[in-house]
């Protein structure tokens, strides 16, 4: 987390540089865009040393084929789109961010879309500047757990067989294919992120009645097992 | 697909005929056999999980009378114009093609528990080692005097989705401004506790969207209270002021009967006339459960709370609306949850796979008006007497509209999730 903050600090500097060079997009304001990006930050890292999280890191995303980074489990839909020639640039990101599911049906990005044209322009301006840095050497490597409430469960090697059984309850809503049609995709997440999310529901840091109920009776072994199981699934 | 299922059925019928002469012929095959009666939320889920998790070690046959399945859940959203009929209709193609399930398009007429065979309507016999019975509900037609299967053509129940749902939609669209809709709702226990009240909301939404605010929806209820009552009544007041009136037994004094010819419902208090009358009668387990001798005095099937196994026959499991599932409501979510517990126990019986302690869950979403969704849910665990609720929640009155919208959108995600969990992922 500290590392990510540092990365962002540096990228804010880069953003200003980009602005002064006049390469910011269509009047987008990177400083405003950084605020917009706060909604993306729980899944995406950007800036020097960024790693994969629930979503892939976004360093050097401009000019890159969609779904092409090593070490991240993209949806089949996004990989297909990339193979068909989708390359991220200001225009394609703009269409995608407006309604992700409409542009790439089957993407597992659990984000309904951003309707405001100005917000998107600002976000893209921010991203273009912030993504210029180099990612971590091994962006897929699991980060060390922080000193936090779920740390115990994060250090348990979950039993995938138990996880598969417990997951029966989850997959009534969360599709094991990784599709997100109104309920978030939870496949292929890093273990730490998965465990943290469940603890945040359990302790009501994330407010959601169903998830609070579901997590209330889950112990550390069970949470670790679920993280292991869903982490092992490949998005379709 | 139809021809494929027919062909499959042909093979069964042929094999079954042979079995009369050579009963050991069929028994001699390697794989243990599971037969599932009923391809709804309970049965199709059970078939899919048994086949998937046994990785082909168990031979699974799914018997379903209809070639396609229209879900009762979300059929109110079709009535309200939020979903197409096609979007709530599913095929068994994926279960047959991707899970190796023999889908038999036919009607199971009886269960020969002695011989461990299902008897089909055409006389064919399908042998099983374990049987899963998930037939849903049947109606107790005379629970509302004057009502009958024929009367349902005039006063649709639409509590089994399909042609009845379309009929109700047609009749709803024909209601004119100032005309009245009368609903007769069922006594407990019945399929989908909040369903009748979500339906009243959808009726009101259609009328309101046409500007027909002089019309009224009268709900005649044999119950003193109903599911999500506070939430519905708050929503009706807010979205459809003066349009929805709910009368419990204290007001109407008892529902005496219906007259389909006149379009009336008689109660102790008054006779109500409706341009549209929607009668949802009292319910019992589907006919096959009765024929098989799996029901208790209350018309539903007692089960072991640990496994969903019938207390009447250790080789049979009963799921969903037909079962007496303790605190669990009769819902697709419940049936889907129960099916996974039963599937695990069936595999444990037949392949010796590990059986974990049962866990059950349910959440029911209801739509009151566009973007105004509410939900109620609980988790359950087996006790010695029943499946008992361990923790629960319900949406609150006066919630933020943004939360209600998110709840509605979540319900769309749930529908996509559960239907792919039941029927396999399409496409």
């Amino acid at each position: 987390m500290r590392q990510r903050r540092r990365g962002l600090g540096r990228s804010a500097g880069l953003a200003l540089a980009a602005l002064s060079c006049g390469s910011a997009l269509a009047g987008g304001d990177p400083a405003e865009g950084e605020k917009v990006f706060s909604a993306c930050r729980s899944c995406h890292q950007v800036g020097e040393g960024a790693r994969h999280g629930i979503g892939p890191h976004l360093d050097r995303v401009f000019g890159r084929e969609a779904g092409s980074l090593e070490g991240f489990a993209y949806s089949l839909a996004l990989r297909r789109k990339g193979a068909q020639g989708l390359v991220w640039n200001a225009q394609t990101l703009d269409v995608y961010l407006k309604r992700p599911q409409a542009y790439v049906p089957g993407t597992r990005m659990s984000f309904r879309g951003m309707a405001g044209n100005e917000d998107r322009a600002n976000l893209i301006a921010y991203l273009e500047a912030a993504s210029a840095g180099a990612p971590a050497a091994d962006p897929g490597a699991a980060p060390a757990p922080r000193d936090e409430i779920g740390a115990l469960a994060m250090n348990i090697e979950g039993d995938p067989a138990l996880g598969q059984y417990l997951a029966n309850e989850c997959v009534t809503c969360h599709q094991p294919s990784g599709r997100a049609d109104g309920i978030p995709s939870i496949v292929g997440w890093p273990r730490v992120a998965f465990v943290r999310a469940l603890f945040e529901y359990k302790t009501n840091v994330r407010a959601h009645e169903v998830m609070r109920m579901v997590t209330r009776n889950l112990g550390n072994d069970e949470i670790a097992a679920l993280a292991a199981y869903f982490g092992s699934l490949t998005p379709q | 697909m139809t021809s494929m299922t027919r062909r499959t059925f042909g093979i069964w019928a042929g094999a079954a005929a042979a079995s009369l002469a050579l009963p050991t012929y069929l028994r001699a095959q390697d794989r243990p056999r599971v037969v599932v009666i009923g391809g709804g939320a309970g049965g199709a889920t059970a078939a899919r999980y048994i086949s998937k998790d046994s990785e082909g070690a168990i031979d699974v046959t799914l018997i379903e009378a209809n070639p396609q399945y229209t879900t009762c859940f979300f059929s109110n959203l079709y009535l309200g114009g939020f979903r197409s009929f096609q979007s709530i209709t599913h095929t068994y193609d994926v279960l047959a093609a991707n899970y190796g399930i023999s889908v038999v398009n036919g009607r199971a007429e009886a269960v020969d528990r002695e011989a461990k065979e299902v008897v089909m309507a055409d006389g064919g016999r399908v042998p099983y080692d374990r049987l899963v019975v998930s037939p849903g509900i049947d109606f107790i037609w005379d629970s509302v005097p004057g009502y009958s299967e024929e009367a349902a053509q005039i006063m649709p129940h639409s509590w089994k989705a399909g042609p009845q749902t379309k009929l109700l939609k047609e009749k709803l669209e024909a209601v004119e401004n100032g005309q009245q809709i009368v609903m007769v709702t069922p006594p407990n226990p019945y399929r989908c506790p909040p369903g009748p009240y979500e339906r009243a909301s959808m009726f009101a939404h259609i009328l309101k969207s046409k500007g027909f605010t002089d019309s009224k929806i009268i709900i005649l209820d044999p119950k003193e209270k109903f599911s999500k009552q506070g939430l519905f009544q708050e929503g009706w007041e807010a979205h459809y002021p003066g349009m929805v009136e709910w009368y419990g037994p204290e007001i109407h004094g008892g529902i005496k009967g219906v007259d389909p010819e006149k379009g009336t419902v008689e109660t102790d208090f008054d006779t109500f006339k409706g341009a549209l009358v929607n009668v949802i009668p009292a319910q019992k387990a589907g006919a096959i459960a009765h024929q098989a001798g799996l029901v208790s005095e209350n018309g539903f099937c007692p089960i072991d709370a640990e496994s969903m196994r019938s207390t009447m026959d250790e080789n049979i499991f009963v799921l969903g609306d037909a079962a007496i599932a303790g605190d669990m409501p009769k819902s697709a979510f419940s049936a889907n949850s129960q099916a996974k517990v039963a599937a695990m126990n069936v595999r444990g019986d037949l392949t010796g796979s590990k059986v974990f302690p049962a866990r059950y869950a349910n959440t029911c979403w209801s739509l009151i008006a566009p973007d105004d969704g509410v939900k109620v849910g609980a988790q359950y665990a087996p006790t010695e007497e029943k499946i008992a609720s361990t923790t629960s929640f319900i949406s609150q009155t006066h919630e933020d509209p943004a939360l209600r919208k998110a709840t509605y959108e979540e319900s769309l995600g749930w529908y996509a999730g559960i239907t792919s969990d039941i029927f396999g992922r399409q496409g």
Side-chain angles (χ1 to χ4, degrees), chain A residues 6 17 55 133 149 164 175 235:
Chain A
R6 205 186 312 135
I149 189 162
Q164 181 178 7
Q175 300 181 49

Side-chain angles (χ1 to χ4, degrees), chain A residues 112 165 168-169 172 208, chain B residues 336 340 357 379 391 409-410:
Chain A
R112 286 194 192 95
Y165 163 65
N168 284 351
E169 192 173 320
T172 299
H208 192 277
Chain B
N336 170 265
K340 294 169 191 175
Q379 290 209 306
T391 166
E409 284 170 356
E410 184 179 275

Side-chain angles (χ1 to χ4, degrees), chain B residues 154-391:
Chain B
I154 302 164
M155 296 178 163
H157 54 77
S158 310
W159 218 240
K160 291 185 182 184
Q164 275 277 311
T165 317
K166 284 189 165 169
L167 181 63
L168 184 60
K169 176 79 171 161
E170 278 167 30
K171 288 183 180 287
L172 172 62
E173 293 298 344
V175 174
E176 291 170 15
N177 195 18
Q179 288 185 323
Q180 190 161 271
I181 297 176
V182 181
M183 291 180 76
V184 176
T185 52
N188 291 322
Y190 64 97
R191 162 179 285 181
C192 191
Y197 313 97
E198 179 184 57
R199 179 176 283 178
S201 309
M202 295 297 98
F203 287 166
H205 165 68
I206 289 289
L207 294 173
K208 182 186 169 186
S209 62
K210 290 178 173 176
F212 292 180
T213 50
D214 295 334
S215 286
K216 264 194 181 18
I217 296 142
I218 308 282
I219 305 169
L220 300 170
D221 207 324
K223 303 181 292 298
E224 278 161 14
K225 56 186 175 124
F226 61 88
S227 171
K228 298 179 186 161
Q229 185 162 357
L231 295 167
F232 279 115
Q233 289 183 326
E234 177 194 55
W236 294 338
E237 192 69 27
H239 299 293
Y240 319 113
M243 291 179 69
V244 184
E245 290 180 13
W246 177 81
Y247 296 151
E250 280 183 11
I251 301 171
H252 60 64
I255 297 159
K256 297 290 167 205
V258 295
D259 187 333
E261 300 272 298
K262 293 185 185 149
T264 55
V265 183
E266 194 192 334
T267 70
D268 232 16
F269 168 67
D270 201 356
T271 297
F272 296 86
K273 185 166 173 59
L276 163 58
V277 181
N278 174 208
V279 178
I280 308 166
Q283 294 156 32
K284 59 184 178 181
I288 187 85
H290 290 264
Q291 191 289 325
L294 301 171
V295 298
S296 66
E297 318 79 63
N298 76 348
F300 292 96
C301 304
I303 48 87
D304 165 37
E306 295 279 355
S307 61
M308 300 306 296
R309 196 187 300 272
S310 168
T311 58
M312 314 276 192
D313 188 326
E314 62 178 8
N315 298 314
I316 300 180
F317 294 76
V318 185
L319 305 179
D321 294 352
I324 301 171
D327 294 342
M328 296 186 84
K330 298 189 186 303
S331 72
F333 200 127
S334 293
N336 170 265
S337 173
Q338 293 158 11
K340 294 169 191 175
V341 170
M344 177 176 64
N345 280 277
V346 165
R347 287 192 299 117
D349 284 6
L350 299 178
T351 66
S353 65
K354 187 167 180 183
V355 176
F356 292 96
R359 304 168 66 100
Y360 302 97
N362 175 67
T363 298
C364 289
W365 287 264
S366 302
L367 186 62
I368 302 175
D371 291 332
D372 190 359
V374 292
K375 58 185 170 181
V376 58
Q379 290 209 306
Y380 308 85
T383 65
E384 279 188 16
E385 309 91 67
K386 62 174 183 179
I387 300 177
S389 169
T390 54
T391 166

Side-chain angles (χ1 to χ4, degrees), chain A:
Chain A
M1 191 64 198
R2 196 180 305 146
Q3 184 175 16
R4 195 175 355 153
R5 286 245 173 80
R6 205 186 312 135
L8 284 169
R10 194 174 304 175
S11 43
L14 282 169
L16 288 173
L19 187 65
S20 61
C21 295
S23 65
L25 284 152
D29 176 351
E32 285 301 311
E34 184 168 7
K35 293 180 198 160
V36 177
F37 188 72
S38 64
C40 318
R41 205 164 282 168
S42 57
C43 297
H44 291 290
Q45 294 187 16
V46 68
E48 200 68 28
R51 295 166 176 276
H52 296 319
I54 292 168
H57 77 72
L58 298 175
D59 280 352
R60 299 175 179 172
V61 64
F62 284 74
R64 184 164 66 226
E65 182 184 308
S68 64
L69 278 181
E70 288 289 314
F72 186 80
Y74 293 94
S75 62
L76 184 61
L78 199 68
R79 280 180 281 141
R80 271 201 191 129
K81 200 90 175 173
Q84 287 164 3
L86 174 61
V87 171
W88 294 123
N89 57 39
Q91 286 72 37
T92 53
L93 281 170
D94 187 59
V95 185
Y96 184 57
L97 292 171
K98 192 172 182 179
R99 277 186 65 201
Q101 283 291 352
Y103 192 44
V104 186
T107 177
R108 69 184 184 92
M109 184 163 79
S110 301
F111 181 62
R112 286 194 192 95
M114 192 175 289
N117 293 338
E118 203 180 326
D119 282 346
R120 289 199 311 282
N122 291 341
L123 176 62
I124 290 165
Y126 166 73
L127 270 182
E128 183 163 37
S131 63
D138 181 5
R146 285 183 277 149
D147 181 16
E148 58 184 307
I149 189 162
L152 207 57
M154 288 172 190
N155 287 313
I156 297 173
E157 280 298 327
D159 172 1
L162 176 62
Q164 181 178 7
Y165 163 65
L166 295 170
N168 284 351
E169 192 173 320
C170 314
V171 298
T172 299
C173 297
H174 298 278
Q175 300 181 49
S177 64
R179 274 197 72 120
D181 294 307
I183 284 185
S185 164
I186 57 170
V187 308
W189 286 23
R191 176 164 69 178
V192 167
F194 193 99
V195 172
R196 183 179 298 144
L198 289 196
F199 271 94
E200 286 177 353
Y201 284 118
K202 208 175 161 79
T203 52
N204 218 22
V205 172
R206 296 187 189 210
H208 192 277
E209 289 282 18
V210 177
M211 288 308 300
R212 191 182 181 191
M213 181 178 78
V214 165
T215 51
R216 188 174 294 170
N217 299 325
L218 291 176
N220 284 339
D221 285 341
E222 293 169 320
I223 286 179
L226 283 166
Y229 175 69
F230 280 108
S232 75
L233 296 183
T234 311
Q236 305 287 299

